[in-house]
Amino acid sequence: MAKSVYANRREVLLRSVIGVLGGYALAALAVLLTILLLPAGGRSAEGLGQMIGFSFFGLSVILAFSVRSAKKAWMVVGLPLALLGACYTLLSGGGA
Amino acid sequence: MSAGVRQKNAWLHGWAGLLLGWLMFAIFVTGTIAFFRQEVTYWMQPELHDSDPGEPLEMARMAIDRLEHIAPDAREWQIELPSEREPQLSVSWEADGAEADSASSAFAADRARAEEAAAQANARGGRPRDPGVAVDPATGAIIHPRETAGGDFLYHFHYQLHFMSRGSGMLLVGLVTLAMFIAILSGIVTHKKIFKDFFTFRRRKGQRSWLDAHNAAAVFALPFHLMITFSGLLLIGGTLLPFSGQERNRERQGEMEQQAPTDLAAGSSLPLSKILHTAQREWSVPVGRLSFDRRANTVELSSQRNDSLFLRPGGGPGRNLTFDGTDGTLLEREDNLASDGIDRTNRAIRALHLGRFADWQLRWLYFVAGIGGTVMVATGLVLWSVKRAAKRRDALIPIGQRLAEILNIGAVAGLNLAIATYFWANRLVPAGTPNRAELEIRLFFIAWTVTYLHAAARKPQVAWVEQLMVGGGLFALLPILSFATGSLWLPSAVASGNWIVAGFDAVCLLTATVMFCAARFITRGSERDNVAQDFPIVDRSLVPAE
C-alpha cells in the first residue's frame, strides 16, 4: 500500500473518478438500455439491468485501478461508456 | 497476472475496505443475527415461552373463538399459527373505527391494551401493524407479550440504519455494499495463492497472524460473501440505480377503496377442518396464516415459508389459497412463481440473501457463514491499523491512525457490547414500561456511544481488552439474568425442549467464549510487544513474496 503503487495523488484521483463515477454511469446506462431493449419490460428488465449494471461497476473499478496508467484507465472505461451512451441516445431518441 | 496488478489491487482492497469498513462490520453483524430475526424476537418475549403449540385445527378454532370475543366488529381477522421459528399462536384484527366497547366486557381491557400498543408501534414507524394479542393454545388465555422491537430492530438496522430516514439509511448501506463488492473483487485479484494460503496459519506472528486469519475467514466463505454482497446490491438496487422509469407502489391504491359495510360473517360456521385439509393436500409446507375477510366471507391461507427459490422472496408469502367462508370450497390458488428465466434468476438471488426459504439446518449454515464475514471484516480492519503501527517506529501517533484505532474498537468490540446491552435491557426494563421498545433501542445506542468514548479515553490495547471482557461478561451472564428474572434459561429450556431459547443461550455463551479468547489473545500480544517494543516489523503487503 506504499506510495510506490501509484505515482501520485493526481493519478489516484483520476483513476477514482473514471472507475467509480464512470463505473456508476455505466451501471446506470446498463439499466436504462436493458429496460429499453427487453420487450417484457417492467420489474424483470429492471432486475436484469441491475445485475448487468453492478457487474459493470465492479469491473470498471477493478480495471481503472489495475491498468498501467490513468490515461489507459480512462480509455478502458471511457470507451464502453461512450459506446453505451451513444446506443442509448440513439435508441431512446428513435423511440420518442 | 503481474505483481504490479496484484499490488494495485491490494491498495484498492485496503482503501475500499477501510473507508466504510466500520459500517460494513455493523451491517454484517446485525445482518447475521437477522437470519434468526424471529427467534430473537421470540427470546425477547419471555411471556410466550410457556405455551406449547397444539394441533393446527384446535388452535385455529381457539383463535377464532377469541377473535369473536375480542373483535366482533372487525372487518378482517388474522391468525398466525405457530411455526418452528415463531412457536406462538397470535391473532390480530383490523376494525374500521376503534369500537373497543363492542368487545365483550371480559376482553375490553385486552383489546384496549392491544390497540394502544399497535398505535405506539405504528408511531415508531416501520410496516403498519394491526392490533393483536397472543393466545395460549392450551388454555386460550390472552397473553400480552412485552413490547419490543426484538430481532426486527437488528434486521432493519442492517439495511436502513437508524436515526435517519429510511431512504438515506438505505443509500448509505448501498454505498457500503458497493465498497464491499469492490473490496471482495480486489481481494480475490490480489490474492495469488488463494488455495495454499487457506491452510496457512502463522500463530503469534502479529501482523502475519492477522493476515492469515483474514484470508482464512474470507476464503472459507467466499461464495457466501460474494452471494450476500451481490444480492444485497440487487435488493437495494432500486435505491442505488433509480432508473426504472416507473413509479412503484401505485398498484395498491385500488385495493384501499372503501366498501359499503355489509354483514360480517361469523367464524364459527366455517368448515375449518375441510379448509386445512385441502391446504395440506395442495402444499408441501404447513399453513402459516389464516386471513378472514369477513365482509366477502372468504378465508385466505398462506404458506408458512417458501418452498421454492422462484416464489416471491419477500413482502408476503409466496403461496396463497382462498376459500369460501361458508362451504369451504377452494376459490383461488395463487402461487407467486416467477414467469420467465430472468425473473427466476432475479428472485433466486434475492431469495438466497433473505434466506426465508431455509430450514433450520441451512439457517445455521447461513449464520456460520455470516460469522465468517464478520471475522473477515474485523480482522481486515485490525490488519489495517496493525500494518500502519508496524511501519511507524516513532512514538508519535498521527491523529488519523489514532482515530482509526478508536473507530475499530468501538465498531468491533463496542458493537458486541451494545448488542449484549440490548438483550440485558430486554430482561431488565419492566414489561409494562411505556415506550419500552424504544427504550431498549436507546440503551443499545447509548452503550455503543459509550464504547467509542471509552476507546478514546484509554490506550488502544487496554480498551480492546476491557470492552471484550465486559461484553463477553454480559453475554456469559445473559442466561443467568434470564433465570434471575424468571424466564426460561438454558437448563430449563433444554429440559422443556424449547430449542429456540436453548439455542439463543448457547450462542450467547459461545459469543462470550470467543470474546474472552480475543481479549486473552490481545493481552498476550501486548505482553510480548513490551519485550519486543512493537509488533513484529514485517513490512509485507497483502501480496505474498514472489
Side-chain angles (χ1 to χ4, degrees):
Chain A
M1 287 191 206
K3 283 167 197 134
S4 59
V5 176
Y6 298 112
N8 50 41
R9 289 191 175 186
R10 189 171 154 270
E11 178 94 341
V12 173
L13 182 74
L14 282 174
R15 286 176 193 256
S16 308
V17 168
I18 193 63
V20 177
L21 298 184
Y24 183 79
L26 257 183
L29 278 171
V31 175
L32 289 171
L33 267 171
T34 318
I35 291 173
L36 209 63
L37 291 177
L38 217 68
R43 293 292 285 268
S44 165
E46 199 189 329
L48 180 67
Q50 285 173 4
M51 279 186 245
I52 300 171
F54 286 126
S55 309
F56 279 4
F57 176 81
L59 212 63
S60 306
V61 180
I62 298 293
L63 276 178
F65 282 91
S66 294
V67 292
R68 194 148 299 171
S69 64
K71 198 173 150 194
K72 209 166 170 199
W74 275 76
M75 279 174 48
V76 163
V77 182
L79 270 178
L81 188 59
L83 204 70
L84 283 193
C87 280
Y88 181 73
T89 319
L90 277 175
L91 286 170
S92 63
Chain B
M1 214 171 289
S2 78
V5 168
R6 279 202 304 276
Q7 233 160 43
K8 288 188 175 97
N9 275 277
W11 181 94
L12 180 60
H13 182 79
W15 283 102
L18 182 82
L19 281 181
L20 295 161
W22 296 292
L23 256 179
M24 221 176 260
F25 182 79
I27 292 166
F28 244 107
V29 170
T30 49
T32 300
I33 301 175
F35 285 128
F36 287 117
R37 165 190 177 193
Q38 288 165 328
E39 289 84 347
V40 169
T41 308
Y42 174 76
W43 181 88
M44 289 176 84
Q45 298 190 315
E47 292 80 6
L48 301 170
H49 296 179
D50 294 328
S51 31
D52 292 315
E55 283 300 302
L57 180 60
E58 292 309 310
M59 289 191 292
R61 285 222 171 96
M62 172 79 78
I64 290 172
D65 179 69
R66 286 297 166 252
L67 279 167
E68 285 196 317
H69 284 101
I70 298 178
D73 60 316
R75 60 188 153 88
E76 273 174 40
W77 285 343
Q78 289 205 329
I79 300 172
E80 292 279 354
L81 292 176
S83 71
E84 239 178 27
R85 302 188 56 198
E86 275 182 303
Q88 78 262 21
L89 173 64
S90 19
V91 299
S92 60
W93 57 89
E94 197 178 330
D96 284 328
E99 296 170 54
D101 48 337
S102 68
S104 58
S105 57
F107 293 96
D110 285 320
R111 171 154 179 177
R113 201 171 149 187
E115 270 165 2
E116 167 70 25
Q120 266 186 26
N122 289 336
R124 242 190 349 260
R127 189 184 284 181
R129 196 185 103 175
D130 288 333
V133 291
V135 179
D136 189 316
T139 62
I142 302 290
I143 307 169
H144 294 278
R146 61 186 62 189
E147 273 299 307
T148 179
D152 293 358
F153 161 64
L154 299 168
Y155 165 73
H156 287 137
F157 182 86
H158 109 278
Y159 72 89
Q160 61 187 39
L161 307 178
H162 204 78
F163 294 127
M164 61 182 85
S165 76
R166 186 184 152 86
S168 9
M170 281 174 74
L171 189 62
L172 198 51
V173 171
L175 293 177
V176 173
T177 318
L178 281 175
M180 182 81 200
F181 188 46
I182 298 301
I184 291 180
L185 293 180
S186 52
I188 297 171
V189 175
T190 195
H191 208 121
K192 193 183 166 208
K193 291 177 278 186
I194 207 156
F195 186 73
K196 192 179 157 208
D197 275 7
F198 182 57
F199 297 100
T200 309
F201 190 78
R202 286 157 288 194
R203 287 182 67 217
R204 303 191 191 176
K205 287 275 171 63
Q207 186 185 331
R208 281 197 189 180
S209 303
W210 286 111
L211 177 63
D212 290 343
H214 183 62
N215 287 344
V219 177
F220 148 72
L222 187 58
F224 172 81
H225 301 325
L226 264 177
M227 176 280 283
I228 212 78
T229 308
F230 192 70
S231 54
L233 280 177
L234 287 184
L235 280 164
I236 230 160
T239 308
L240 285 175
L241 292 169
F243 306 108
S244 64
Q246 59 207 37
E247 296 283 319
R248 291 229 180 121
N249 295 332
R250 285 284 161 87
E251 308 150 20
R252 292 202 180 156
Q253 277 179 350
E255 290 176 25
M256 294 300 283
E257 66 195 31
Q258 284 290 318
Q259 287 176 336
T262 47
D263 289 339
L264 297 173
S268 48
S269 60
L270 190 75
L272 253 185
S273 93
K274 181 182 172 188
I275 288 176
L276 287 172
H277 197 74
T278 313
Q280 247 164 32
R281 210 178 48 228
E282 296 276 325
W283 290 337
S284 61
V285 277
V287 178
R289 185 195 303 148
L290 296 88
S291 316
F292 300 79
D293 184 337
R294 301 182 66 222
R295 280 171 178 158
N297 192 18
T298 55
V299 191
E300 188 187 59
L301 267 59
S302 310
S303 56
Q304 205 178 79
R305 63 179 170 86
N306 282 354
D307 56 349
S308 160
L309 286 178
F310 303 146
L311 284 165
R312 182 169 58 192
R319 297 188 193 277
N320 298 300
L321 295 170
T322 309
F323 295 92
D324 185 281
T326 318
D327 54 13
T329 42
L330 181 57
L331 298 176
E332 197 192 338
R333 178 178 175 146
E334 185 196 10
D335 296 289
N336 289 298
L337 278 163
S339 48
D340 54 37
I342 297 171
D343 216 14
R344 265 185 220 150
T345 317
N346 211 346
R347 281 186 178 188
I349 294 177
R350 283 157 204 256
L352 278 174
H353 187 107
L354 299 168
R356 291 191 184 145
F357 65 93
D359 55 16
W360 69 268
Q361 294 97 330
L362 187 56
R363 194 163 291 284
W364 278 103
L365 188 62
Y366 261 114
F367 186 74
V368 171
I371 300 281
T374 64
V375 172
M376 170 182 76
V377 180
T379 49
L381 284 170
V382 172
L383 190 58
W384 198 89
S385 37
V386 166
K387 223 171 186 166
R388 265 150 195 75
K391 280 185 190 166
R392 199 164 285 106
R393 294 168 200 227
D394 49 40
L396 222 71
I397 298 173
I399 189 146
Q401 187 180 337
R402 175 81 183 115
L403 193 66
E405 249 160 13
I406 294 170
L407 290 174
N408 273 355
I409 297 166
V412 178
L415 176 62
N416 283 305
L417 199 155
I419 291 172
T421 310
Y422 181 60
F423 294 147
W424 270 70
N426 176 261
R427 289 295 190 258
L428 289 180
V429 176
T433 313
N435 259 329
R436 79 177 293 291
E438 191 56 39
L439 189 60
E440 283 176 2
I441 294 174
R442 282 288 143 89
L443 285 167
F444 167 83
F445 282 110
I446 289 171
W448 204 7
T449 312
V450 169
T451 63
Y452 285 102
L453 298 177
H454 172 257
R458 307 284 277 174
K459 277 185 169 174
Q461 295 202 323
V462 180
W464 272 112
V465 172
E466 284 176 350
Q467 292 195 14
L468 286 169
M469 292 300 284
V470 172
L474 288 177
F475 272 114
L477 293 174
L478 206 48
I480 298 175
L481 177 69
S482 289
F483 172 72
T485 49
S487 310
L488 222 51
W489 67 311
L490 188 55
S492 58
V494 171
S496 62
N498 193 325
W499 299 114
I500 296 180
V501 174
F504 187 101
D505 281 9
V507 169
C508 283
L509 294 179
L510 210 66
T511 310
T513 314
V514 171
M515 288 175 83
F516 289 146
C517 286
R520 209 173 118 91
F521 176 76
I522 290 170
T523 314
R524 277 222 200 128
S526 68
E527 277 164 9
R528 200 176 54 240
D529 287 347
N530 286 340
V531 183
Q533 286 302 311
D534 206 337
F535 282 96
I537 298 174
V538 185
D539 192 4
R540 211 182 85 130
S541 76
L542 278 165
V543 191
E546 291 291 301

